[in-house]
Amino acid sequence: MQKIIPPSELIINSDGSVFHLHLLPEQLTDRIILVGDPARVNIVAEHFDSISFEVQSREFHTIGGTYRGKPIMCLSHGIGPDNIDIVITELDALANIDFATRTIKEQHRQLSMVRIGTSGALQPELALGTPVIAEKSIGFDGVLNFYAGRNTVADLDFEHHFTESVHWNPLWAKPYVVDADPSLVAQIGADDMVRGNTISAVGFYGPQGREVRLALANPDLNRRIEEFSHNGRRITNYEMESAPLQGLAKLMGHRAMTVCSIIANRFNNDANPNYKQGIRDLIATVLDRI
């Protein structure tokens, strides 16, 4: 018997668009650029040959069009792993659920999603402005743990070694480790990008070891992370979205990866607030390769 998805589980707006993103199924493209900042969508779209639609709903800003004659769209997901759960689920619904019958389509449609973001380095050799691919992403957020099959897409050996080495606090969500899609990494990456092991944190301050006014529960966690090594590779950087993106995409049968420009080095206590030109250059590079 074919599964029918109830309105309470997948909300479809009165105009036929998906609940949060307000996108229509016919607007979806197979190639998608993801960014955090809604204003950054306009920067990406400046490179498009043509623009066919623009939709704004909360922090979710989408512009669709063509680049070098091929359909493409750029979508902002806002900040944090919880937003990624919304964005990837609704993009997959647009691709693989018949909104009229609320049933899963027989033929699976695969999306290719590249997130372009900013990040803080955890190793001294990563200079400001360096593009780092989250070839392997470590999720501190716990989002993937709510889905069946998480172990089938996770690197369980890495997870075990990591939690043991850094003395993981049992009060926190269990980390999960997922690889970016290797074919997409090969397509987007080159010698000008570092292949990294990237942490997706659940917040910006305490969850990334920043102490402003509140004391940290585990103040030496970042030192342990910086010293950790698995199969000769260290943790390279912090950001907040790559792990749920890559994990959910794998479970749903899509291609996904994240590449971030380093705008701060936590090890060297260095930061560059004027990072926008580096992001513009990275956007142009990704668009040329996607």
Side-chain angles (χ1 to χ4, degrees), residues 7-282:
S8 61
E9 309 307 287
L10 176 66
I11 301 173
I12 299 172
N13 298 316
S14 59
D15 63 355
S17 64
V18 72
F19 185 52
H20 295 91
L21 303 185
H22 278 260
L23 293 174
L24 298 165
E26 58 265 31
Q27 292 174 319
L28 183 69
T29 62
D30 290 339
R31 299 182 306 156
I32 303 170
I33 301 293
L34 297 170
V35 295
D37 183 358
R40 197 171 292 161
V41 174
N42 298 93
I43 297 173
V44 176
E46 287 174 3
H47 297 267
F48 291 179
D49 307 324
S50 63
I51 292 175
S52 54
F53 70 88
E54 181 173 8
V55 176
Q56 180 92 47
S57 175
R58 307 185 191 188
E59 61 265 58
F60 309 116
H61 179 202
T62 309
I63 296 179
T66 60
Y67 180 76
R68 295 186 174 176
K70 297 180 180 180
I72 195 168
M73 57 190 276
C74 182
L75 165 64
S76 64
H77 51 69
I79 297 176
D82 50 340
N83 278 11
I84 296 297
D85 179 63
I86 291 170
V87 169
I88 303 308
T89 300
E90 293 194 1
L91 287 174
D92 178 74
L94 289 165
N96 292 303
I97 294 176
D98 185 323
F99 279 20
T101 63
R102 292 186 165 274
T103 58
I104 298 171
K105 296 177 181 178
E106 290 186 8
Q107 185 170 352
H108 179 265
R109 179 180 177 185
Q110 185 181 66
L111 306 176
S112 295
M113 298 172 280
V114 179
R115 190 180 91 78
I116 302 172
T118 56
S119 181
L122 288 168
Q123 300 299 332
E125 68 273 13
L126 289 175
L128 300 181
T130 302
V132 178
I133 292 173
E135 190 171 41
K136 195 177 289 290
S137 191
I138 305 99
F140 284 7
D141 52 272
V143 166
L144 204 66
N145 300 339
F146 288 89
Y147 291 92
R150 64 83 86 193
N151 284 0
T152 66
V153 299
D155 186 335
L156 302 181
D157 181 61
F158 191 114
E159 288 178 12
H160 177 75
H161 185 197
F162 179 81
T163 54
E164 290 290 316
S165 296
V166 305
H167 304 146
W168 188 254
N169 190 327
L171 293 176
W172 301 336
K174 178 179 171 57
Y176 60 93
V177 180
V178 284
D179 294 335
D181 182 86
S183 66
L184 198 54
V185 169
Q187 179 180 334
I188 301 298
D191 292 340
D192 56 350
M193 295 182 184
V194 172
R195 266 64 165 182
N197 292 330
T198 300
I199 290 172
S200 285
V202 72
F204 185 79
Y205 291 100
Q208 293 188 37
R210 289 183 171 93
E211 187 171 327
V212 181
R213 201 169 70 83
L214 295 178
L216 300 174
N218 291 66
D220 63 341
L221 179 62
N222 274 6
R223 177 189 59 78
R224 292 175 182 172
I225 291 172
E226 290 160 3
E227 294 173 353
F228 172 79
S229 177
H230 183 74
N231 294 333
R233 294 182 59 180
R234 295 185 177 276
I235 305 294
T236 49
N237 56 313
Y238 263 125
E239 50 83 79
M240 295 175 65
E241 294 91 11
S242 63
L245 167 63
Q246 292 168 193
L248 290 172
K250 276 185 178 293
L251 285 176
M252 295 175 182
H254 302 299
R255 303 164 76 219
M257 63 165 282
T258 289
V259 57
C260 287
S261 180
I262 297 298
I263 66 168
N265 190 300
R266 305 293 300 284
F267 189 94
N268 298 333
N269 292 319
D270 195 12
N272 176 22
N274 302 312
Y275 58 85
K276 292 187 178 180
Q277 186 55 51
I279 287 292
R280 286 180 177 272
D281 294 341
L282 184 56

